[in-house]
Amino acid sequence: MKKPIIPITLASLLTAGTAFSADTPPAGFGKPDRVFVIKTMAGQMKYDQADLMVRPGQKVRINLKNEDQLPHNLVVLKEKGIYLKVAEKAWALGTEGPAKNWIPEDDRVIAGTKMADPGQTTSVWFTAPAQEGDVDFVCTFPGHAMVMNGKLHVSNAPEPGLDNLTYIAYKGGWSKLPDFSTLEKAGTATDELNDNLIDIHAAKLTNGFGMVFDGRLNVPVDGDYTFNLGSDDGSRVWIDDKVIVEVDGIHPHTEKSGKVKLAKGPHVFKAAYFDGGGQTSMTLAWSGPGFKDKNLSKEKREKNRGEQFEEILLAPTATEAVIYRGFMDKAEGSHRMIAVGWPGGLNAAFDQDQLRLGLLWKGKFFDAGRHWIGRGAGNQGPEGYAVQPLTLGENFAVLADAAAPWPAPKDGRATASTFRGYALDKNGYPTFTYTTGGASGVQVTDRPEPAGALDKGTEAIKRTLTLKAAQAPGLLYFRATGGHPVTAQPDGSYKVDGGLTLRIESAERPVIRGQELLVPVKFENGTATLTVTYTWQ
C-alpha cells in the first residue's frame, strides 16, 4: 500500500518540542538498577549499541548522547518486531510530530526520550517488563527506524563472566608462549580462584613462569563481544578452542582486542600467560550487549597503561568508502596493506607487496592511532570481527605445467607480479592495478566490493578481475586459495576450511590441487575476466 505523504517542512522536522520529556525520572522512581549510555553514530544513522540486557522488573535509565548531525530519539516498546509499525504511526503525526517528540499515543510504547539535537544528551527512565523476553527500542524520527533500532533483552540469565576457574602453573624461560601441555607442572589449583577472576599472582611465582587458566564463560545473550587483553609478557585467550586475542612475545604491558560472535549460554574458556622476567601483569576485560569493560581479571584494565595510543577510529560514510595505507596485523607474510572500508560494515585489505587480497573482516574498520604520530609504531589489527586472512603469495602465476609448484614470495614480495597503483571512483571504491605473467606483461585490474551490506543481511565481498594481454602468457593460473583444505559443494561453490565459501565465475572450470584451488585463465581477443565472491560460513 502506498504510504501517505506527510505535509511537513524541514523547519518543522528540526524543531524540538517539549510535550514529552524524560530528562527527569517519574515521581517515586528512585535510584535506577541499570544505567546505559547509548551514542548515535555520526553519519551512519545507528545507535552504537543495538542490544541491552536487563532483569525483569528492573528500574532502567538510558542516556542518549547524540553525536550525529541529525536529531534522534529513543523509544522503548513493549514487544519485539513492532518498531516499524510504531514508527509509521509516529510519522503519521505530520506537523504535530515535533511537539510530541515523534512519539505516538500507543499502548505499545513504554517510554521515550525527547528529541536530542546534535551534541545534546537526553534520558529516558522506565521499569523493565516483568516477563523474560525481548522488546524493541527505536528512533521514531521520520525515516530512521529501518536502520536505527535495537533489542532490550529481559532475562534472568546468569551474570556475564567466568566460573569454575582453575589454573596450572609452570616454571621455565620462554620468548613466546610454549605448548604448556608438554611441560611439567609447577603447581595447580582446582578450587574457585579469586572470585573467578584471572590472577597471575595466585601461584606466588616470580621471574620465568607460566600459567594456564581453564573455566567457563557465561554469555548472557546472542551477540558480538569484544575482549581486551593486556600483559607483560605474553598472553592468549581461547573460547571454545578458538584463539580470540593474543599478545605474545617479550614486551612491556601491551594491549590488544579481539572480537567474536557468541551464542547465549556457557562456553569453554582458556587463557595462557608467561613471564620472561622483570615486570609481570595480565589484564582481561570484555564488552558485550548491555555492558562494557567488565573485568575478567583481578588486575583491572587501565586504558592509559603501557603501550597505548590515542584512538583515531576511521570509518566510511553512509555513501563513501574509506581508504587507509598502513602496516596491518593479522595478515600472514607481508603487513603493508591498503585497507578499504565500505559503507555497510564490510572491509578488506589489499597486499601491495604480494599482489593479493590479504584480509577480509566485518564491522568496524581501523584505528589509525598507532600510526598517526611520527613514523608510527608496529602493526595495527582490524577493529572489526570475523577476520579472515587469505592465501599467502601472489594470486597469478605462469606455471611450466599443471603440477608445477606455486612461486613463493621472495623477501616477502611477489616475484612475477608488479604493483601499478590504484584508482578511486566517485564513491571512493578502489580498483587495484598490477602486471603479472613475467615477460608477457599481463595487465590486471582488481576491484573488490561488497555484494551487499551487514545491515541488509548480506555478508559477501565480490572481486572482479579483468586481464589484458598483447600476447599469450602460457599456462596462467589464478590461485583462489591455498594452504587450507578445500571441497567442492553441490551448488558449484567451494568451501575452504577456516571460514569462507568461494563462488567463482570464469571461462575455465577451477581445479582442486591438494589444498589449492586454481583457476586456468582463458583469453579471448586478448582479454579474460573472472569473479570471486567470498562469503563467511
Side-chain angles (χ1 to χ4, degrees):
M1 182 175 69
K2 189 174 182 180
K3 296 180 181 177
I5 297 175
I6 303 173
I8 53 179
T9 65
L10 179 61
S12 69
L13 278 173
L14 298 178
T15 301
T18 58
F20 187 99
S21 175
D23 279 339
T24 57
F29 188 86
K31 183 179 180 181
D33 301 305
R34 297 298 305 272
V35 177
F36 299 100
V37 177
I38 294 183
K39 299 177 183 179
T40 62
M41 300 174 69
Q44 299 188 48
M45 205 181 295
K46 289 183 179 181
Y47 299 121
D48 70 341
Q49 299 180 65
D51 295 274
L52 305 177
M53 181 179 176
V54 298
R55 297 196 181 283
Q58 279 190 320
K59 296 177 181 179
V60 182
R61 177 182 180 180
I62 298 177
N63 298 326
L64 178 66
K65 186 176 182 181
N66 189 5
E67 298 183 349
D68 194 17
Q69 291 76 45
L70 293 172
H72 297 292
N73 67 3
L74 188 150
V75 181
V76 183
L77 307 179
K78 294 181 179 179
E79 304 172 30
K80 67 176 180 179
I82 61 170
Y83 61 89
L84 272 180
K85 295 178 181 178
V86 174
E88 288 175 350
K89 193 171 180 180
W91 305 344
L93 291 171
T95 56
E96 297 179 3
K100 294 184 176 181
N101 289 286
W102 295 102
I103 301 176
E105 295 180 4
D106 192 305
D107 291 340
R108 296 170 293 181
V109 173
I110 293 179
T113 69
K114 69 178 185 181
M115 293 302 303
D117 287 331
Q120 288 187 338
T121 298
T122 185
S123 301
V124 60
W125 309 65
F126 63 96
T127 300
Q131 302 297 321
E132 289 188 284
D134 296 344
V135 300
D136 294 335
F137 61 86
V138 63
C139 177
T140 54
F141 188 83
H144 291 191
M146 285 78 74
V147 293
M148 203 165 184
N149 58 78
K151 289 286 185 293
L152 180 72
H153 305 279
V154 183
S155 174
N156 280 312
E159 279 293 317
L162 297 171
D163 61 21
N164 298 336
L165 192 62
T166 65
Y167 75 76
I168 303 173
Y170 302 86
K171 285 291 291 181
W174 311 283
S175 60
K176 287 185 174 293
L177 283 164
D179 180 358
F180 285 112
S181 66
T182 65
L183 303 180
E184 183 179 350
K185 301 175 184 177
T188 63
T190 55
D191 297 327
E192 187 174 283
L193 179 64
N194 293 313
D195 296 324
N196 287 306
L197 294 175
I198 291 171
D199 182 10
I200 59 170
H201 304 292
K204 303 187 185 306
L205 297 174
T206 58
N207 293 328
F209 69 95
M211 298 184 74
V212 175
F213 300 85
D214 289 286
R216 181 175 64 186
L217 179 70
N218 295 313
V219 173
V221 296
D222 295 352
D224 297 325
Y225 292 83
T226 300
F227 292 82
N228 291 292
L229 174 66
S231 63
D232 176 353
D233 291 294
S235 58
R236 183 180 297 138
V237 169
W238 296 259
I239 297 176
D240 297 330
D241 297 322
K242 180 180 180 181
V243 175
I244 304 302
V245 58
E246 66 178 13
V247 194
D248 205 357
I250 300 285
H251 48 68
H253 189 93
T254 303
E255 182 177 291
K256 291 185 179 180
S257 65
K259 301 184 181 183
V260 63
K261 189 180 293 292
L262 295 174
K264 175 182 177 180
H267 292 259
V268 177
F269 174 88
K270 182 178 181 179
Y273 167 83
F274 86 91
D275 165 59
Q279 300 296 316
T280 59
S281 63
M282 180 177 175
T283 60
L284 180 63
W286 68 322
S287 302
F291 66 94
K292 188 173 184 179
D293 273 340
K294 183 178 178 66
N295 285 300
L296 296 174
S297 59
K298 187 174 182 180
E299 192 172 0
K300 294 183 179 179
R301 181 191 182 207
E302 299 176 26
K303 293 184 180 180
N304 61 348
R305 176 182 181 180
E307 187 186 14
Q308 297 292 325
F309 301 88
E310 181 181 354
E311 186 177 64
I312 303 176
L313 289 178
L314 305 180
T317 69
T319 58
E320 294 184 354
V322 59
I323 300 291
Y324 189 74
R325 298 179 66 168
F327 293 91
M328 296 196 67
D329 203 357
K330 303 293 185 184
E332 299 176 358
S334 171
H335 295 278
R336 291 205 309 166
M337 296 283 174
I338 302 170
V340 52
W342 293 284
L346 295 178
N347 314 278
F350 183 83
D351 184 343
Q352 67 187 66
D353 285 340
Q354 297 187 17
L355 287 308
R356 64 182 180 122
L357 205 58
L359 284 176
L360 307 176
W361 71 97
K362 307 178 194 177
K364 292 182 180 180
F365 178 54
F366 196 81
D367 176 7
R370 181 180 287 271
H371 299 154
W372 208 254
I373 299 174
R375 292 179 60 83
N379 302 326
Q380 176 67 47
E383 282 297 298
Y385 62 96
V387 180
Q388 287 288 339
L390 298 181
T391 302
L392 187 65
E394 54 200 293
N395 281 150
F396 288 96
V398 174
L399 302 182
D401 55 61
W406 199 260
K410 183 178 181 180
D411 298 325
R413 296 175 180 267
T415 57
S417 303
T418 304
F419 187 45
R420 301 298 184 189
Y422 63 95
L424 305 178
D425 67 12
K426 64 179 181 179
N427 293 320
Y429 287 30
T431 298
F432 301 97
T433 304
Y434 45 99
T435 56
T436 191
S440 302
V442 179
Q443 305 290 321
V444 182
T445 58
D446 188 341
R447 180 180 171 87
E449 58 188 321
L454 295 184
D455 56 14
K456 304 295 184 183
T458 303
E459 300 180 357
I461 291 176
K462 184 177 181 179
R463 185 180 178 195
T464 302
L465 299 126
T466 303
L467 297 86
K468 294 184 178 180
Q471 62 184 40
L475 293 176
L476 180 65
Y477 289 88
F478 171 76
R479 186 169 67 161
T481 185
H484 297 280
V486 56
T487 54
Q489 303 300 300
D491 64 356
S493 65
Y494 296 86
K495 186 174 182 179
V496 181
D497 184 33
L500 289 175
T501 296
L502 277 55
R503 186 174 294 277
I504 298 172
E505 299 176 26
S506 66
E508 296 289 324
R509 185 180 180 85
V511 177
I512 297 177
R513 188 179 75 167
Q515 293 190 347
E516 295 177 312
L517 181 62
L518 303 184
V519 184
V521 179
K522 181 179 180 180
F523 286 85
E524 292 186 6
N525 300 320
T527 301
T529 301
L530 61 93
T531 65
V532 184
T533 301
Y534 304 86
T535 305
W536 280 262
Q537 295 172 11

